[in-house]
Amino acid sequence: MKIGICSDHAGVAYKAKLIAWLGKKGYEMVNFGTDSTESMDYTDVAHPLANAVEEGKVDLGIALCGTGNGMAMTLNHHKGIRAGLAWNTAIGTLVKEHNNANVLVMPARFISYAMAQHIVRAWLETEFAGGRHQRRIDKIPV
Ligand code: RB5
């Protein structure tokens, strides 16, 4: 499975660790940047990640910024993206089970790296439940 990943300067340290960790697990990781701790705009990496998910160049995406909100807001402007913000394991599970998030967003400044790993594992290992949740997802586009 190919996973695209991006962060701004606030999430760059967790991004680097997640790339190494998930790469070891056999996921093909595509890094959309940033790779610097210098202040930058999350939009500049979120849009390219969203495009790659929409175009099928990657199967799923992971995005990190300080609160996660800038990434989620930007990503969710793309019609083909359901970006879900998760800050604990239960939400990591539910964001896939109920919302079928194709991009997982995490608030790097408000969770530990160990928590980020737990959330990613929960999101990757959970299956979308479909049914009434599919009906709700179908009603999201405006
Ligand atoms: C950067 O300071 C911060 O604003 C950004 O990482 C994010 O939290 C925005 O939503």
Side-chain angles (χ1 to χ4, degrees):
M1 183 190 288
K2 229 184 218 187
I3 302 178
I5 187 165
C6 74
S7 76
D8 70 355
H9 51 286
V12 68
Y14 285 12
K15 176 170 67 63
K17 287 188 194 181
L18 288 171
I19 289 171
W21 176 62
L22 290 169
K24 271 194 210 139
K25 285 179 168 291
Y27 293 98
E28 192 180 336
M29 301 303 292
V30 182
N31 181 8
F32 288 83
T34 184
D35 292 310
S36 161
T37 52
E38 210 166 295
S39 181
M40 58 83 69
D41 303 333
Y42 48 79
T43 47
D44 296 349
V45 290
H47 287 304
L49 172 65
N51 291 335
V53 173
E54 286 184 308
E55 290 162 13
K57 290 181 179 158
V58 295
D59 301 299
L60 292 170
I62 296 173
L64 300 125
C65 66
T67 64
N69 279 312
M71 286 291 185
M73 288 178 189
T74 308
L75 292 158
N76 280 320
H77 269 268
H78 289 251
K79 286 258 183 258
I81 301 297
R82 285 177 309 283
L85 179 60
W87 57 91
N88 65 33
T89 313
I91 297 171
T93 299
L94 288 169
V95 83
K96 177 69 83 54
E97 192 180 311
H98 288 188
N99 312 113
N100 201 18
N102 53 7
V103 182
L104 173 68
V105 184
M106 293 180 288
R109 284 185 175 149
F110 296 89
I111 59 172
S112 66
Y113 175 64
M115 179 54 74
Q117 287 179 297
H118 290 310
I119 293 168
V120 168
R121 193 183 292 122
W123 172 69
L124 286 173
E125 289 177 359
T126 300
E127 294 205 356
F128 177 48
R132 69 186 188 281
H133 300 294
Q134 184 61 57
R135 185 182 69 236
R136 291 162 188 169
I137 283 173
D138 291 340
K139 290 181 179 179
I140 292 175
V142 288

